[in-house]
Amino acid sequence: MKPKDVSILIVDDEPSIRNSLAGWFKMDGYKTEVAEDAYEALKKLQENNFDIALLDIKMPEMDGIELQRRIKEIDKNIITIIITAYATVETAIQAMKDGAFDYITKPIDPDELSRLIKKAIEQRRLIAENIMLRGKIEELQSLDEIIGESPAIKKVMELINTVAETDSTVMIRGESGTGKELVARAIHAKSKRRYFPIVTINCGAYPEGLLESELFGHEKGAFTGALYQRKGKLEMANKGTLFLDEVGNISLKMQMDLLRVLETKKFTRLGGDKVIEADFRVISATNRDLEQAVREGSFREDLYYRLNVFTIFLPPLRERKSDIPLLTYHFIKKFSLSMNKDVKEISKEAMNLLMDYDWPGNVRELRNVIERAMVNVKGSRIEVDDLYFSISSPYPKPEGETLEDVEKAHIKKILNKTGWNITKAAEILNIDRVTLYNKIEKYKLRK
């Protein structure tokens, strides 16, 4: 990193100290800002990114040790250096325990500080490099797990290569466990945005208010418990890719807010009035029948078309069973390495069992079955007794109806009775529409 690329924040309640430090660093070509207390420093950190923060330990209201803790909550990778005129073993130990890179005592020796800053910059460079490499490894692992030679999966790979070169929005459709996030990561990894982050959010995992905060971020005091300003996923995805998983489950209000952002790429944090611009590509995924949801009025038609410029359908595993042996051996190899086991094969009888099963949980379920088998296996080969199917059994069912059989039949009866009016059916069943959609998908009910 060149000095002009390094930004330093100096926090000291003594004007002569902070101004002289700022002067030294500017002469060396660094970008600097100063703050006279912890609160001004936190405000500057919320507005700008810094590589290094120099923190005086003795300040009114909030000392440098507490300030460092709060800074690390905002940016855990920022390099902090403690400045003190009262160096003690206790404060030095506490500062280092809390993540300080080093500490320096007053009066400050400019040459000593200059050497310390150069070491801090090298540390910052290594942190950035590690983050980038971890991201690359995750992306490569994602690409490795799109396994198969069936015509269906080859078509998916062809579509990934085609759309990755563009900046179009992509909607990935498929049942749970088919690997929608892997496809999203593969598109990102092959795109021109691959050197920037792919930020994932599971829209179905958050209630409306929390999802809004996760996407847009919030300012300090925006709501009860918002003690600090926080960036949202939209900001984090700047120059990269935003992956909206389970996008079909968001509320109508959030759909309207999201549509506005997708059209303008501008937004404000909750409780804020500063307009933020971000450049990101959107990839979404859903296992819902969005066309039906549009007809029912539970999903906006304009958002549907905005998200669905290019569609990739992922086939369920039961429709590409020829890929099961390749996937099985891929997972055996993967878990042999991670569990340090010497397992190399699976018996013919066990493989036949895998091929006969319908895989309602798709590739994710197969992965879990093999991982569990790898825990159980004693020798170098997986046998039938090592396999366990958690969702349903491939073995013949005992006579009689299960609770799920009864539920499936009752839901189907109500749907037929209401002419597949989802709203009316959900009212009769006393469940919400999202739950009803999930059960329709789970039981694969069709008109």
Side-chain angles (χ1 to χ4, degrees):
M1 296 174 74
K2 296 177 180 177
K4 67 180 178 62
D5 299 321
V6 178
S7 55
I8 302 174
L9 177 63
I10 303 155
V11 190
D12 198 309
D13 59 336
E14 293 184 48
S16 60
I17 297 291
R18 61 174 184 267
N19 291 334
S20 60
L21 286 174
W24 292 341
F25 292 135
K26 281 180 181 174
M27 286 175 64
D28 288 338
Y30 298 113
K31 291 186 288 186
T32 63
E33 285 204 37
V34 297
E36 64 180 10
D37 57 35
Y39 295 102
E40 186 182 3
L42 288 171
K43 187 171 184 296
K44 285 181 179 289
L45 279 157
Q46 290 165 358
E47 294 170 347
N48 299 291
N49 294 318
F50 292 93
D51 299 295
I52 300 169
L54 291 167
L55 313 175
D56 186 22
I57 205 165
K58 284 283 185 183
M59 291 188 291
E61 298 189 46
M62 186 190 304
D63 64 21
I65 298 291
E66 176 61 21
L67 175 58
Q68 178 179 247
R69 289 195 190 107
R70 298 203 182 185
I71 287 175
K72 294 291 183 181
E73 289 175 359
I74 297 171
D75 181 356
K76 66 179 180 181
N77 295 319
I78 192 169
I79 301 288
T80 51
I81 297 173
I82 298 292
I83 306 171
T84 179
Y86 310 95
T88 65
V89 174
E90 290 76 16
T91 54
I93 290 174
Q94 190 58 56
M96 301 301 280
K97 273 185 176 176
D98 289 346
F101 176 71
D102 210 333
Y103 70 97
I104 190 165
T105 56
K106 295 176 181 177
I108 298 170
D109 179 342
D111 292 333
E112 181 188 353
L113 182 57
S114 181
R115 284 193 294 273
L116 191 56
I117 291 296
K118 286 178 180 173
K119 284 170 59 181
I121 291 169
E122 178 61 14
Q123 178 77 2
R124 180 73 169 173
R125 187 189 66 77
L126 290 172
I127 290 171
E129 196 171 279
N130 284 338
I131 291 171
M132 186 192 71
L133 288 173
R134 279 202 301 272
K136 285 288 176 191
I137 289 169
E138 287 174 4
E139 286 168 8
L140 289 173
Q141 286 174 339
S142 299
L143 289 173
D144 284 347
E145 292 198 6
I146 302 177
I147 303 289
E149 291 184 347
S150 63
I153 206 66
K154 281 184 175 177
K155 179 65 177 174
V156 168
M157 292 176 180
E158 182 183 322
L159 292 173
I160 289 171
N161 289 328
T162 300
V163 77
E165 296 175 359
T166 73
D167 217 16
S168 299
T169 57
V170 181
M171 180 173 284
I172 306 168
R173 314 285 292 268
E175 296 177 7
S176 294
T178 47
K180 294 188 284 295
E181 183 168 350
L182 289 180
V183 171
R185 290 186 176 278
I187 294 170
H188 173 76
K190 289 172 176 284
S191 74
K192 62 185 179 184
R193 296 176 180 271
R194 60 185 175 277
Y195 299 113
F196 297 94
I198 175 169
V199 177
T200 297
I201 182 165
N202 185 335
C203 301
Y206 297 94
E208 181 177 303
L210 193 53
L211 177 61
E212 198 175 12
S213 172
E214 286 292 316
L215 274 174
F216 295 93
H218 62 252
E219 298 291 346
K220 179 183 175 183
F223 50 82
T224 304
L227 301 178
Y228 307 104
Q229 179 237 52
R230 184 181 176 193
K231 289 182 180 179
K233 303 287 188 186
L234 298 172
E235 271 183 274
M236 294 179 191
N238 189 33
K239 298 184 181 178
T241 301
L242 178 68
F243 176 51
L244 301 168
D245 199 6
E246 295 188 29
V247 73
N249 292 346
I250 60 178
S251 68
L252 284 169
K253 178 184 178 304
M254 277 302 302
Q255 289 175 34
M256 186 171 62
D257 293 343
L258 185 59
L259 178 65
R260 191 178 302 120
V261 172
L262 297 184
E263 296 286 356
T264 64
K265 297 291 174 71
K266 295 179 182 177
F267 56 93
T268 58
R269 297 184 191 124
L270 298 186
D273 53 14
K274 178 183 174 185
V275 176
I276 298 167
E277 292 187 44
D279 170 34
F280 49 84
R281 178 191 198 164
V282 172
I283 301 176
S284 61
T286 183
N287 57 12
R288 282 191 61 188
D289 182 349
L290 283 191
E291 292 77 9
Q292 176 70 19
V294 169
R295 287 193 292 273
E296 291 285 337
S298 60
F299 201 87
R300 293 179 63 99
E301 187 175 18
D302 43 11
L303 179 60
Y304 167 78
Y305 286 116
R306 189 70 183 79
L307 293 172
N308 199 25
V309 174
F310 191 90
T311 308
I312 296 178
F313 287 95
L314 289 186
L317 189 53
R318 63 181 174 280
E319 292 180 7
R320 58 179 186 109
K321 285 194 170 183
S322 61
D323 290 332
I324 289 176
L326 270 178
L327 284 161
T328 299
Y329 276 99
H330 167 75
F331 292 132
I332 289 174
K333 184 177 179 182
K334 179 186 178 79
F335 292 119
S336 287
L337 287 170
S338 64
M339 296 181 187
N340 195 26
K341 286 193 168 187
D342 187 26
V343 180
K344 291 185 170 57
E345 58 182 339
I346 181 169
S347 71
K348 183 179 177 183
E349 294 76 15
M351 181 59 81
N352 287 339
L353 203 58
L354 298 181
M355 295 295 288
D356 289 341
Y357 188 53
D358 273 346
W359 299 107
N362 292 296
V363 178
R364 183 188 296 140
E365 186 185 4
L366 173 61
R367 183 185 187 278
N368 292 344
V369 167
I370 299 302
E371 182 175 2
R372 184 162 182 151
M374 291 293 292
V375 173
N376 291 332
V377 66
K378 301 301 180 190
S380 62
R381 186 170 69 173
I382 293 175
E383 303 288 352
V384 169
D385 289 345
D386 298 318
L387 299 177
Y388 175 79
F389 299 82
S390 57
I391 296 178
S392 61
S393 171
Y395 298 108
K397 290 181 181 178
E399 291 185 4
E401 290 183 310
T402 65
L403 184 60
E404 289 195 340
D405 290 336
V406 174
E407 184 180 58
K408 178 181 177 182
H410 185 62
I411 290 172
K412 189 172 182 180
K413 177 183 171 185
I414 299 300
L415 285 168
N416 289 335
K417 186 178 178 181
T418 60
W420 278 74
N421 184 312
I422 299 297
T423 301
K424 286 182 181 177
E427 286 175 3
I428 293 171
L429 293 166
N430 197 26
I431 57 179
D432 60 51
R433 288 187 301 176
V434 172
T435 302
L436 180 54
Y437 276 120
N438 288 336
K439 288 186 182 294
I440 290 171
E441 290 299 320
K442 176 183 175 182
Y443 294 130
K444 306 187 187 343
L445 296 173
R446 298 290 181 268
K447 280 185 181 179

